[in-house]
Amino acid sequence: MVASSFTCQPGIPVLHSKDLVNWTIINYVYTTLPFDRYKQPQHGQGSWAPSIRYHNGKYYVYFCTPSEGLLMAETTNPTKKWDLHVVKNIANWEDPCPFWDEDGQAYLLHGKKGAGPAILHKMSADGRSLLDTGVLIYQNKQKQPTLEGFKFMDKRDGYYYFAAPAGGVSTGWQSVFRSKNIYGPYEDKIVLAQGKTEVNGPHQGGLVQTQTGEWWFIHFQDKGAYGRITHLQPAVCKNGWPIIGADPDGDGIGEPVLTYRKPNVGRTYPRAVPQTSDEFTQNSLGLQWQWQAEQNEAWYSLTAHSGQMRLYATPVATDTGSLVYAGNLLMQKFMAPTFQATTQMSAHLTTNGERAGLVVFGNDYTCICLQKEQGALYLTIDEAKRVNKIYQPHKQLTRIPVSTQTLWFSVRVNADATYRYTYSTDGKNYKSLGDQYKADKGFWVGAKVGVFCLNPTAQKTAGYADFDYVRVEK
């Protein structure tokens, strides 16, 4: 399974499961994007809506960046390196998905930025080039508005099928389209909608068949600060159309189920979850971590101090100190409805303005950090908000003087996305600092939590912070 990364890098996490329930992160499709502007944060840009397919012994992932074009990555082993290719330099494409027909002819289906029509191209057999300018195969703004997230399905009983959600990410539904001719005309049917459930806008899903013949549908739900969380639904075929989830009224439009038996894959596998905590004892960062921009080796070290991760006080490119513009934030998505993240940090701040700490980041952010000001050390809560799509200046909400550069920081996130920071000077006794805050979603993504060290100038300084661990608990 793969997912969008937008500005975060490494990008497009590859997750693995043997039963569609227990997942772990095994790799990323790319380390960096091949465009210079992603050396700095580009919120909302980067990799959008990837699709993954297996064909003739290779795994393929297709995705678009909204300004640069269509890209494809391929590998024979998804745990190893993926080879990344720019298929076409073009702006305003989105949501591509490949398909290889029975005669070997390759096709690519995609939309346009703003959720536009379904457009089909012929491709070379190796999937590296488009062979035509594309044909519009479906558009009906009245029946299926805001159509996006295209996913070709298997050809069955002489029909070509593709799935696509419509109606908007948080308010829409999932549809399926079929035709005897790959170029149409296509019939359409809504196969999954919110109905009377609490699962709003079931969106951008894909059908999977297990080795025992069962069909399942994986989709997401927009949960604001918690991001676009993943659901698994049972699926059956009736009269040539999938019915997904439950269909209590028998109208052929499924509703999401919140609990169900696990898929039958022939055996039972132990519980597993994507990675969260990191003790920083390995020679590489855990796969749960992403930076806000193209990774720079000068930002950090895992060998400068054994068993710790060192973050250097990297200059912020805009010379404002706002974390919005800092590529060197090391973060991961909110990983549960409620959780607590704790880190131990030993800072060595040498220059006024240097700061290091723990951050909760979205369109708005706050952080608890140690700062050096006028030669003295202060423990602070800082904040910046995004108002009318404009990022406001970074500001300090509260501060207290401290005499140590070794601190423990913790944040507790509640089920309503509110959170509170605490700190300790001995790792045992914690005190609250600041108020209760409300996490905000980011640009197309949920909120993130992580650590940082930077200085709010364009000048290189000598400060750094050693993080002993980040531990996540429920």
Side-chain angles (χ1 to χ4, degrees), residues 308 340-347 356-358 368-370 379 402 404-411 421-433 466-471:
Q308 295 184 336
Q340 182 166 306
T342 304
T343 187
Q344 179 187 347
M345 180 192 78
S346 296
L358 181 68
I368 183 170
C369 57
L370 182 70
L379 186 56
V402 291
T404 178
Q405 297 201 61
T406 297
L407 292 159
W408 286 255
F409 294 137
S410 189
V411 62
Y421 292 111
T422 57
Y423 74 95
S424 174
T425 57
D426 61 8
K428 298 177 182 178
N429 302 297
Y430 282 81
K431 298 179 182 179
S432 178
L433 186 67
D466 290 330
F467 292 85
D468 192 61
Y469 55 80
V470 173
R471 293 174 183 160

Side-chain angles (χ1 to χ4, degrees), residues 31-355:
T31 302
T32 62
L33 284 167
F35 309 107
D36 284 344
R37 75 185 185 114
Y38 292 100
K39 294 180 185 297
Q40 304 295 333
Q42 305 292 331
H43 299 289
Q45 302 291 299
S47 55
W48 286 22
S51 61
I52 184 168
R53 292 292 183 268
Y54 182 75
H55 174 69
N56 275 358
K58 281 189 177 181
Y59 295 86
Y60 294 84
V61 168
Y62 283 79
F63 65 97
C64 290
T65 64
S67 298
E68 291 85 13
L70 168 69
L71 294 91
M72 180 269 280
E74 59 184 334
T75 186
T76 57
N77 185 341
T79 68
K80 304 296 183 182
K81 185 179 184 299
W82 291 71
D83 294 321
L84 186 63
H85 313 279
V86 178
V87 178
K88 186 174 181 63
N89 290 112
I90 191 165
N92 300 323
W93 282 14
E94 65 179 18
D95 304 1
C97 183
F99 176 75
W100 284 266
D101 207 345
E102 295 164 329
D103 61 1
Q105 177 62 57
Y107 296 89
L108 185 87
L109 180 65
H110 71 87
K112 289 189 175 182
K113 187 178 177 182
I119 299 170
L120 184 69
H121 299 260
K122 283 188 175 181
M123 282 199 306
S124 59
D126 61 7
R128 295 191 183 193
S129 60
L130 303 182
L131 302 181
D132 58 30
T133 58
V135 176
L136 191 154
I137 62 170
Y138 185 90
Q139 184 175 34
N140 189 321
K141 294 183 179 180
Q142 285 70 46
K143 289 183 67 178
Q144 303 285 359
T146 320
L147 193 65
E148 55 189 336
F150 302 99
K151 298 290 185 296
F152 257 123
M153 298 156 56
D154 288 342
K155 187 178 180 182
R156 297 175 64 84
D157 300 325
Y159 281 99
Y160 295 91
Y161 289 85
F162 70 87
V169 170
S170 60
T171 57
W173 54 86
Q174 183 73 43
S175 293
V176 167
F177 304 77
R178 74 176 187 179
S179 173
K180 291 282 190 177
N181 188 314
I182 197 167
Y183 288 102
Y186 278 85
E187 305 172 78
D188 63 293
K189 188 177 189 303
I190 298 174
V191 297
L192 180 67
Q194 179 174 353
K196 297 179 181 179
T197 75
E198 296 182 358
V199 182
N200 60 292
H203 211 75
Q204 294 215 16
L207 275 169
V208 179
Q209 187 177 30
T210 71
Q211 57 267 55
T212 62
E214 294 180 349
W215 283 95
W216 296 83
F217 190 75
I218 299 173
H219 67 93
F220 73 64
Q221 173 196 9
D222 188 337
K223 292 279 285 184
Y226 292 101
R228 298 174 176 183
I229 67 172
T230 309
H231 289 252
L232 177 66
Q233 306 292 341
V236 296
C237 187
K238 186 175 182 180
N239 299 324
W241 296 97
I243 298 175
I244 298 168
D247 184 15
D249 58 9
D251 66 354
I253 301 174
E255 297 181 359
V257 296
L258 285 180
T259 59
Y260 205 80
R261 66 167 177 83
K262 292 174 67 174
N264 177 10
V265 293
R267 58 167 290 188
T268 300
Y269 290 92
R271 183 175 183 270
V273 295
Q275 301 89 316
T276 54
S277 300
D278 200 336
E279 298 292 323
F280 303 123
T281 56
Q282 304 300 312
N283 58 7
S284 61
L285 292 169
L287 291 173
Q288 63 269 40
W289 297 113
Q290 292 176 294
W291 304 95
Q292 289 288 90
E294 179 181 324
Q295 176 179 308
N296 187 328
E297 296 298 326
W299 288 347
Y300 77 107
S301 173
L302 290 168
T303 59
H305 192 291
S306 179
Q308 295 184 336
M309 176 187 63
R310 177 166 294 179
L311 294 181
Y312 296 100
T314 303
V316 176
T318 57
D319 204 21
T320 67
S322 173
L323 304 189
V324 169
Y325 306 106
N328 63 319
L329 306 185
L330 185 65
M331 299 188 293
Q332 56 181 292
K333 308 296 191 301
F334 272 23
M335 62 293 293
T338 62
F339 67 91
Q340 182 166 306
T342 304
T343 187
Q344 179 187 347
M345 180 192 78
S346 296
H348 300 267
L349 306 183
T350 62
T351 306
N352 288 333
E354 291 178 341
R355 61 193 64 162

